[in-house]
Amino acid sequence: MCNDRIRNALVLSVSQMCPVDCDFCCVNPPCEDRLSVEECLKWIRLAKENDTFQIVGFTGGEPFYFYDDIVDIMKKSSSLGMEYTIVTSAYWVNSYEETFAKMKLLKDLGLDRINISCDPGHQRKIPISNVKMLADISNEVGLRVYIVGTFNDASMNIETYLKKNNIEFDEKINLSTKIIAPFGKAKNANATMEAYGLTVDYSELHCCRYGFDISVWPNGDIYPCCSTANIDSPLIMGNLRKDDFKEVITKTLGNVFFRVIKRESFQGLIDICEKYNCSITHLLPEKHEISGPCGLCLKLMKNPETKGLIKKAISLYEIDLIYEILDTYVDENSWA
């Protein structure tokens, strides 16, 4: 099994409808549109033809609102050999038999991983017993299971939260802790790294994924990642209902700016700007304002001056990269 971090995923936000209404939800207001079965199938097939995607993710909102659509999509695309992932709040979990039947079918159709939300925000409306049952059944049918908790206190984690609620899981089940970011409904929250007691080090700040999560929203807009900041992000790469799939994907995956902040760091980006006399140091937000890599990226891209300098530096850096590649294969004397 390849490491998920280095692989590319086409993430389909089939709808942003959700039964929970968490106070930190990143989609506020939610997009009222939704993706059709036909659209999802078309883009999954194109993603396979493009030969750069290994994973298809279903997210939302709550994808299980449209369970029958998900099953239909997976049935009609299972021959493509893609791996599928899905997220859920477990709101729909009822009896063992019904839950087992649903998860066994999804597993048989190619589902590889399920992320189940579990934290005080979600459990205001959903019994934690739902999470327990779904996780155990998903593990039983052979899925990779991740229990994901999002908290407003950096000292809190999913392990502590589960222990407090007397919940124990099989050691095969993965536990993941996140902290609330100041986007969507939490836009006005004091959710900076400083507030969480975390140190801002640009050399340690980078996108959490080496690969790309190409995120398609219910209105067809496409983003280069699954960031919680997308609700405010200017980084809309196109719209799959209007634009050519291959052109949008090529433009996104080949973007050197994204590659730098994913595979190096924001310090790497700052250094590139310095190298090409496009310094952005004086334009960086104060460290006490930074909420993390997503927040820093958003601030840089929403500032026209900073964005212009980065674009110029990256363009020059890209030219140098091309010459370096050519010099690898061609005798340097031939360029004299």
Side-chain angles (χ1 to χ4, degrees):
M1 177 82 58
C2 294
N3 187 334
D4 283 349
R5 287 191 67 251
I6 67 174
R7 299 193 291 168
N8 295 329
L10 179 68
V11 182
L12 302 171
S13 181
V14 291
S15 164
Q16 291 180 346
M17 292 175 56
C18 183
V20 186
D21 193 32
C22 293
D23 58 7
F24 58 84
C25 182
C26 62
V27 287
N28 181 51
C31 177
E32 295 182 359
D33 211 337
R34 60 172 290 198
L35 300 180
S36 69
V37 170
E38 293 72 24
E39 286 175 321
C40 292
L41 285 170
K42 175 184 176 181
W43 297 331
I44 291 171
R45 287 167 182 152
L46 287 171
K48 180 63 177 180
E49 290 174 12
N50 199 56
D51 201 30
T52 53
F53 291 91
Q54 298 79 38
I55 304 168
V56 174
F58 297 108
T59 186
E62 172 55 72
F64 275 81
Y65 264 144
F66 303 101
Y67 175 82
D68 290 341
D69 284 0
I70 300 296
V71 168
D72 194 18
I73 292 166
M74 292 179 68
K75 279 183 177 179
K76 292 175 179 176
S77 62
S78 59
S79 62
L80 298 177
M82 304 284 269
E83 289 183 13
Y84 295 88
T85 69
I86 198 165
V87 301
T88 184
S89 63
Y91 85 96
W92 52 274
V93 170
N94 191 0
S95 68
Y96 174 90
E97 292 75 17
E98 178 185 351
T99 305
F100 183 91
K102 285 187 173 183
M103 297 316 300
K104 180 66 166 60
L105 176 57
L106 292 179
K107 169 63 177 175
D108 291 344
L109 291 173
L111 187 66
D112 173 68
R113 169 175 169 168
I114 184 170
N115 283 19
I116 309 170
S117 300
C118 181
D119 48 54
H122 287 86
Q123 268 50 76
R124 286 188 300 108
K125 292 190 176 181
I126 299 169
I128 199 168
S129 57
N130 284 28
V131 175
K132 170 66 173 169
M133 181 185 292
L134 178 57
D136 287 345
I137 289 173
S138 297
N139 184 46
E140 183 180 349
V141 302
L143 294 175
R144 291 190 296 143
V145 182
Y146 285 74
I147 309 297
V148 182
T150 305
F151 304 93
N152 61 4
D153 182 348
S155 66
M156 188 65 174
N157 57 54
I158 186 63
E159 290 84 358
T160 302
Y161 181 70
L162 293 172
K163 185 175 181 180
K164 181 180 177 181
N165 285 275
N166 299 312
I167 301 290
E168 294 183 2
F169 285 113
D170 184 282
E171 61 182 12
K172 291 182 180 179
I173 293 176
N174 303 279
L175 305 179
S176 177
T177 298
K178 297 183 178 182
I179 53 178
I180 291 172
F183 311 113
K185 287 190 175 180
K187 188 172 185 177
N188 296 319
N190 182 24
T192 63
M193 293 182 67
E194 183 180 271
Y196 286 124
L198 304 174
T199 301
V200 176
D201 180 348
Y202 293 127
S203 66
E204 296 295 328
L205 279 181
H206 52 77
C207 292
C208 63
R209 288 260 292 134
Y210 190 84
F212 281 80
D213 288 321
I214 303 298
S215 178
V216 186
W217 276 35
N219 61 0
D221 283 347
I222 184 166
Y223 293 86
C225 61
C226 282
S227 170
T228 52
N230 280 347
I231 190 71
D232 296 317
S233 176
L235 294 176
I236 299 175
M237 307 304 294
N239 185 289
L240 289 190
R241 288 179 176 159
K242 304 173 184 177
D243 303 318
D244 180 78
F245 182 91
K246 186 174 182 179
E247 287 183 7
V248 174
I249 297 305
T250 299
K251 176 175 67 174
T252 306
L253 297 183
N255 188 293
V256 176
F257 165 72
F258 297 144
R259 289 177 176 270
V260 169
I261 62 173
K262 280 177 172 293
R263 301 175 181 184
E264 294 183 38
S265 66
F266 279 93
Q267 186 60 56
L269 175 66
I270 293 168
D271 292 344
I272 288 170
C273 290
E274 291 284 349
K275 178 179 178 180
Y276 295 99
N277 297 316
C278 297
S279 177
I280 59 172
T281 304
H282 63 293
L283 296 171
L284 293 172
E286 297 292 331
K287 287 192 174 182
H288 70 266
E289 299 174 341
I290 297 174
S291 60
C294 296
L296 179 55
C297 180
L298 182 65
K299 287 182 179 293
L300 294 179
M301 290 297 100
K302 291 187 80 171
N303 182 323
E305 184 178 0
T306 309
K307 184 177 180 180
L309 289 168
I310 291 172
K311 185 175 180 180
K312 181 180 178 181
I314 289 293
S315 295
L316 295 170
Y317 175 63
E318 198 168 10
I319 291 171
D320 281 350
L321 286 178
I322 292 171
Y323 277 114
E324 285 180 17
I325 293 170
L326 289 173
D327 285 343
T328 302
Y329 294 102
V330 182
D331 185 349
E332 289 186 13
N333 292 330
S334 68
W335 294 98

